[in-house]
Amino acid sequence: MAGTGFLGIIVVGLLVFIGSTHAQLQMNFYAKSCPKAEKIVRDYVKEHIPNAPSLAASFIRMHFHDCFVRGCDASLLLNSTSGQSPEKNAIPNQTLRGFDFIDRVKSLLEAECPGIVSCADILTLIARDSVVTIGGPFWKVPTGRRDGLISNVTEANTNIPGPFSNFTTLLRLFNNQGLDTKDLVLLSGAHTIGIAHCPAFSRRLYNSTGPGGVDPTLDSEYAANLKANKCKTPNDNTTKVEMDPGSRNTFDLSYYTLLTKRRGLFQSDAALTTDSTSSVLINQLLSNPLKFFYAEFATSMEKMGRVNVKTGSEGEIRKQCAFVNS
């Protein structure tokens, strides 16, 4: 009897182990349940992103902001839940674009395999495929994420690193997600593509301690150009400025070059040069070929894509990305 009991424990333990392994993210998670899923996403992205390449920056930012609040669970895509204001209303998310693009991809997948592919996986795949489509790095996207049920504006405002953050704040927010200084430097490199609106950095031009209100850590010539040609008043809320002037749709190393010239647009960009470890990492990236940055960036993106994911029986598979299932 004792031996039988011991064997039973082993069997139960094995079943628990098997269950837990099946609850983890894995490559080609949908191979049997929806074998065309990843191709459907990839084909739609390849068809439409060349006509709107700036969306690649929005999608990678959306993925980043989603993962920093309750993990990578597509909570950012939800409209109001339980009567509370959702993440998409948070200050860092108010300029995001592409929600309708995600909805169209979700519709295609629902037509192919109803109730199978999560919005969290869709967002993660679209972010990767969009960057690849504009010529940027490829990274592996294991799938099997499930969708969250809660979206809270306060949590987003609290947990998403802001453009005015100093290095200490940035690192704390990254550490909260299991990410480190290296991830902070590499993921900030996504600022090599995309645009920003004046309110995200205009206080560096008008409300800082330097002459004329200009942030003394910002290159004076660059600041003068921004004030003269872009954000001409402190109250400009609409003008868009390239994060990486001259190559905003090219995933390259010029963002880091600009940092060394004190031309990072955000205070949070400039903050990367105020820490010795971060500065060494920036110089390492600049002293190596582009493929080195791509490989390192891919590793950090894969790592971020696993932050606090919901798998197994957690959460749900939404029928529509903006709404929890009724």
Side-chain angles (χ1 to χ4, degrees):
M1 286 295 291
T4 304
F6 180 68
L7 180 61
I9 291 172
I10 292 176
V11 171
V12 170
L14 182 61
L15 289 173
V16 169
F17 175 74
I18 291 171
S20 66
T21 57
H22 277 285
Q24 304 306 308
L25 299 183
Q26 54 188 274
M27 296 302 295
N28 303 310
F29 178 83
Y30 300 108
K32 292 183 179 179
S33 59
C34 190
K36 295 181 181 177
E38 294 191 26
K39 184 178 187 300
I40 288 171
V41 176
R42 185 169 59 250
D43 287 351
Y44 191 86
V45 168
K46 285 186 174 181
E47 180 182 356
H48 295 282
I49 288 297
N51 299 322
S54 64
L55 277 177
S58 189
F59 287 135
I60 199 167
R61 185 168 163 234
M62 194 183 291
H63 177 38
F64 172 80
H65 287 194
D66 179 53
C67 291
F68 268 64
V69 186
R70 294 182 171 267
C72 310
D73 68 348
S75 53
L76 174 55
L77 304 181
L78 284 172
N79 290 344
S80 177
T81 59
S82 303
Q84 64 187 10
S85 185
E87 291 173 35
K88 62 173 61 173
N89 289 347
I91 294 170
N93 295 331
Q94 289 175 359
T95 54
L96 289 175
R97 300 177 301 122
F99 293 102
D100 55 336
F101 187 105
I102 292 170
D103 289 340
R104 289 196 292 273
V105 173
K106 175 63 170 172
S107 295
L108 293 173
L109 289 166
E110 284 297 300
E112 177 73 17
C113 318
I116 298 296
V117 183
S118 70
C119 297
D121 279 340
I122 292 170
L123 174 54
T124 308
L125 289 165
I126 287 176
R128 191 272 310 276
D129 293 343
S130 296
V131 169
V132 171
T133 298
I134 65 166
F138 172 91
W139 62 92
K140 294 177 182 176
V141 176
T143 43
R145 296 166 190 79
R146 287 172 64 86
D147 299 324
L149 305 174
I150 297 171
S151 185
N152 186 303
V153 65
T154 303
E155 293 178 350
N157 281 325
T158 301
N159 291 301
I160 297 172
F164 305 113
S165 299
N166 60 26
F167 187 83
T168 301
T169 299
L170 290 171
L171 187 57
R172 174 177 58 80
L173 293 172
F174 270 69
N175 287 167
N176 287 347
Q177 309 302 330
L179 303 171
D180 57 23
T181 301
K182 186 175 183 180
D183 300 314
L184 168 57
V185 172
L186 288 163
L187 295 175
S188 294
H191 285 176
T192 186
I193 56 175
I195 56 173
H197 292 76
C198 291
F201 60 89
S202 59
R203 71 171 67 168
R204 299 190 75 197
L205 304 177
Y206 294 99
N207 298 311
S208 290
T209 57
V214 175
D215 183 343
T217 66
L218 184 63
D219 176 75
S220 58
E221 184 178 334
Y222 182 42
N225 179 269
L226 289 170
K227 291 179 79 168
N229 300 308
K230 298 293 184 180
C231 307
K232 298 179 181 180
T233 72
N235 302 316
D236 185 335
N237 293 319
T238 57
T239 299
K240 300 172 184 177
V241 179
E242 295 180 347
M243 295 289 296
D244 184 357
S247 65
R248 74 172 193 181
N249 290 324
T250 305
F251 215 100
D252 55 23
L253 286 164
S254 58
Y255 165 77
Y256 296 109
T257 301
L258 291 172
L259 293 187
T260 65
K261 296 179 178 180
R262 298 190 301 123
R263 292 193 171 201
L265 192 59
F266 293 164
Q267 186 65 52
S268 57
D269 294 322
L272 298 181
T273 64
T274 65
D275 175 79
S276 58
T277 303
S278 175
S279 295
V280 168
L281 290 168
I282 290 169
N283 289 327
Q284 182 185 31
L285 290 169
L286 289 173
S287 62
N288 277 282
L290 183 62
K291 65 180 180 181
F292 175 78
F293 168 46
Y294 276 20
E296 294 289 291
F297 181 82
T299 299
S300 285
M301 284 301 301
E302 290 171 32
K303 184 177 175 182
M304 187 188 76
R306 295 178 180 272
V307 167
N308 294 326
V309 293
K310 295 171 176 62
T311 57
S313 60
E314 298 176 285
E316 65 180 12
I317 305 298
R318 283 183 220 142
K319 297 174 183 176
Q320 298 180 67
C321 291
F323 305 95
V324 295
N325 297 338
S326 54

